[in-house]
Coordinates of all heavy atoms in Angstrom, one line a residue:
N11 N 23.3 9.2 14.5 CA 23.1 9.5 15.9 C 23.0 8.2 16.6 O 22.9 7.1 16.0 CB 21.8 10.3 16.1 CG 21.9 11.2 17.3 OD1 22.7 11.0 18.2 ND2 21.0 12.2 17.3
E15 N 19.8 7.6 13.5 CA 19.2 8.6 12.7 C 20.4 9.3 12.0 O 21.4 9.7 12.6 CB 18.5 9.7 13.6 CG 18.1 10.9 12.9 CD 17.6 12.0 13.9 OE1 17.7 11.8 15.1 OE2 17.1 13.0 13.4
P16 N 20.3 9.5 10.7 CA 21.4 10.2 9.9 C 21.5 11.6 10.4 O 20.5 12.4 10.5 CB 21.0 10.2 8.5 CG 19.9 9.1 8.4 CD 19.3 9.1 9.8
L17 N 22.8 12.0 10.7 CA 23.0 13.4 11.2 C 23.7 14.3 10.2 O 23.3 15.4 10.0 CB 23.8 13.4 12.5 CG 23.2 13.1 13.8 CD1 24.2 13.1 15.0 CD2 22.1 14.0 14.1
Y63 N 23.9 10.0 22.4 CA 22.8 10.6 21.6 C 23.0 12.2 21.5 O 23.2 12.8 22.6 CB 21.4 10.3 22.1 CG 20.3 10.8 21.3 CD1 19.9 10.0 20.2 CD2 19.6 11.9 21.6 CE1 18.9 10.5 19.3 CE2 18.6 12.4 20.8 CZ 18.2 11.6 19.7 OH 17.2 12.1 18.9
V64 N 22.9 12.8 20.4 CA 23.0 14.2 20.2 C 21.6 14.7 20.0 O 20.9 14.4 19.0 CB 23.9 14.6 19.0 CG1 23.9 16.1 18.8 CG2 25.3 14.1 19.3
R65 N 21.1 15.6 20.9 CA 19.7 16.2 20.7 C 19.8 17.4 19.8 O 20.7 18.2 19.9 CB 19.2 16.6 22.1 CG 17.9 17.4 21.9 CD 17.2 17.6 23.2 NE 16.4 16.4 23.4 CZ 15.9 16.1 24.6 NH1 16.0 16.8 25.6 NH2 15.1 15.0 24.7
L66 N 18.9 17.4 18.8 CA 18.9 18.5 17.8 C 17.8 19.5 18.3 O 16.7 19.1 18.5 CB 18.6 18.0 16.4 CG 19.6 17.0 15.9 CD1 19.1 16.4 14.6 CD2 20.9 17.7 15.7
P67 N 18.2 20.8 18.4 CA 17.2 21.8 18.8 C 16.1 22.0 17.8 O 16.3 22.3 16.6 CB 18.0 23.0 19.0 CG 19.2 22.9 18.1 CD 19.5 21.4 18.1
G68 N 14.8 21.9 18.3 CA 13.7 22.3 17.5 C 13.4 21.5 16.2 O 12.7 22.0 15.3
G69 N 14.0 20.3 16.0 CA 13.8 19.6 14.8 C 14.5 20.2 13.6 O 15.0 21.3 13.7
R70 N 14.5 19.6 12.5 CA 15.2 20.1 11.4 C 14.2 20.6 10.4 O 13.2 20.0 9.9 CB 16.0 19.0 10.7 CG 17.1 18.5 11.6 CD 17.9 17.6 10.7 NE 18.9 16.9 11.6 CZ 19.8 16.2 11.2 NH1 20.0 16.0 9.9 NH2 20.6 15.6 12.0
R71 N 14.4 21.9 10.0 CA 13.6 22.5 8.9 C 14.5 22.7 7.7 O 15.7 23.2 7.9 CB 13.1 23.8 9.4 CG 12.1 23.6 10.6 CD 11.3 24.8 10.7 NE 10.3 24.7 9.6 CZ 9.0 25.0 9.8 NH1 8.6 25.4 11.0 NH2 8.2 24.9 8.8
V72 N 14.1 22.4 6.6 CA 14.9 22.5 5.4 C 14.7 24.0 4.9 O 13.5 24.4 4.7 CB 14.4 21.5 4.3 CG1 15.2 21.7 3.0 CG2 14.5 20.1 4.8
P73 N 15.7 24.8 4.8 CA 15.6 26.2 4.3 C 15.1 26.2 2.9 O 15.5 25.4 2.1 CB 16.9 26.8 4.5 CG 17.9 25.6 4.5 CD 17.1 24.4 5.1
P144 N 9.9 19.5 1.4 CA 10.5 18.2 1.2 C 10.7 17.5 2.5 O 10.9 18.1 3.5 CB 11.8 18.5 0.5 CG 12.1 19.9 0.9 CD 10.8 20.6 1.1
Q145 N 10.7 16.1 2.4 CA 11.0 15.3 3.6 C 12.0 14.3 3.3 O 12.2 13.9 2.2 CB 9.7 14.7 4.1 CG 8.6 15.7 4.5 CD 7.3 15.1 4.9 OE1 7.0 13.9 4.5 NE2 6.5 15.8 5.7
G146 N 12.5 13.7 4.4 CA 13.4 12.6 4.3 C 14.9 13.0 4.5 O 15.2 14.2 4.5
W149 N 17.0 15.3 2.4 CA 16.8 16.8 2.5 C 17.4 17.3 3.8 O 17.8 18.5 3.9 CB 15.3 17.1 2.4 CG 14.9 16.9 1.1 CD1 14.3 15.8 0.5 CD2 14.9 17.8 0.0 NE1 14.0 16.0 -0.8 CE2 14.4 17.2 -1.1 CE3 15.5 19.1 -0.1 CZ2 14.3 17.9 -2.4 CZ3 15.4 19.8 -1.4 CH2 14.8 19.2 -2.5
T150 N 17.4 16.6 4.9 CA 17.8 17.1 6.2 C 19.3 16.9 6.5 O 19.9 17.6 7.3 CB 17.0 16.5 7.4 OG1 17.1 15.1 7.3 CG2 15.5 16.9 7.3
V151 N 19.9 16.0 5.8 CA 21.3 15.7 6.0 C 22.1 16.3 4.8 O 21.9 15.9 3.7 CB 21.6 14.2 6.1 CG1 23.1 13.9 6.2 CG2 20.8 13.5 7.2

Side-chain angles (χ1 to χ4, degrees):
N11 210 343
E15 171 190 7
L17 278 183
Y63 187 81
V64 175
R65 174 169 272 170
L66 299 173
R70 295 191 189 186
R71 300 199 74 136
V72 180
Q145 296 178 337
W149 289 94
T150 56
V151 179

